[in-house]
Amino acid sequence: MTQKPQTYRFNTVILLLSLFLFWSCGKEQEESSAEKPASTAESAATGDATAYRAATVKNGGTIFGKVAFKGKWSPSTISVTKDREVCGKSKKNPALVVSESGEVKNAVVYIADIQKGKTMEPQEITLDQKNCEYHPHVLAFPAGSTVEIKNPDGILHNIHSYSEKNDPFNLAQPKFKKTLTVTIEKPEIIIVKCDVHSWMSGWLFVAASPYFSVTDNEGGFKLADVPLGEHVLEVWHEKLGKQSRKIKVGSNETAEVKFEFSKGGKGL
Ligand SMILES: [Cu+2]
């Protein structure tokens, strides 16, 4: 049976329309999947605090270990250009601190995928600005905590947070204002800077669960009362970036983990 030319034209139009729809849907899918890695990486950074629930942890395990850096590292020196009588003449760049035996200070190790476990208590925690430096350089605390910002220097500081999930704050702290307080509700990794002293920078690691630990001078960390099962353990460092791995914790078990970064990481 032969088709009329009109039917041919109609079929061609339908075919072209279908092809267009197919192409545009495919494009949409491509775009949304291209966006996925970024948002997944972001949520994995600290997770979602509203998803976390307290539960009894029976015979919980412990995860402990070290964060190490392979290779030589010597921090740069920052020269102080303002308020030198209080701030000093120079500073060692605090962004990456590696011990003589290659251990990394100020990395944050946390369980990225945990939604149930020991109670998460908001804290009242102090960020000091003594000698025009943030102490500690990386301050970690659970979402909902209050940070008391101290200014013992007797000069003006201006703390400025570059947050996206939380409302950013930008607070002048003149010499007579010894303390300011801010409450931070949502999990996020936030850089803070001083608008008066350009070298001053620090980090607020707002955790989504109580399972986080900042590495000490020897690169050590410890997470206690971890529920049994498999978890995603992650480490974040401002210069070195992130690493994650799966780890199984058994009843009353102690699991040792070593993370190792090397030169060639982010910003090095
Ligand atoms: Cu300052």
Side-chain angles (χ1 to χ4, degrees), residues 129 132 134 155-158 194-197 200:
Q129 298 172 104
C132 316
Y134 292 113
I155 55 171
L156 170 73
H157 288 300
N158 188 104
C194 177
D195 290 335
V196 181
H197 307 107
M200 285 179 75

Side-chain angles (χ1 to χ4, degrees), residues 140-154:
F141 50 86
S145 297
T146 299
V147 184
E148 198 171 67
I149 304 158
K150 295 220 179 262
N151 178 9
D153 281 344

Side-chain angles (χ1 to χ4, degrees), residues 128-143:
D128 203 352
Q129 298 172 104
K130 195 170 163 47
N131 298 127
C132 316
E133 291 167 18
Y134 292 113
H135 299 282
H137 179 66
V138 175
L139 183 69
F141 50 86

Side-chain angles (χ1 to χ4, degrees), residues 36 60 116 126 132 182 195 219 231 265:
K36 257 183 195 154
K116 226 162 87 174
T126 302
C132 316
V182 289
D195 290 335
H231 304 287

Side-chain angles (χ1 to χ4, degrees), residues 26-47:
K27 197 164 181 278
E28 220 167 79
Q29 244 172 14
E30 228 171 71
E31 276 166 6
S32 65
S33 66
E35 275 167 15
K36 257 183 195 154
S39 59
T40 310
E42 191 43 47
S43 69
T46 48

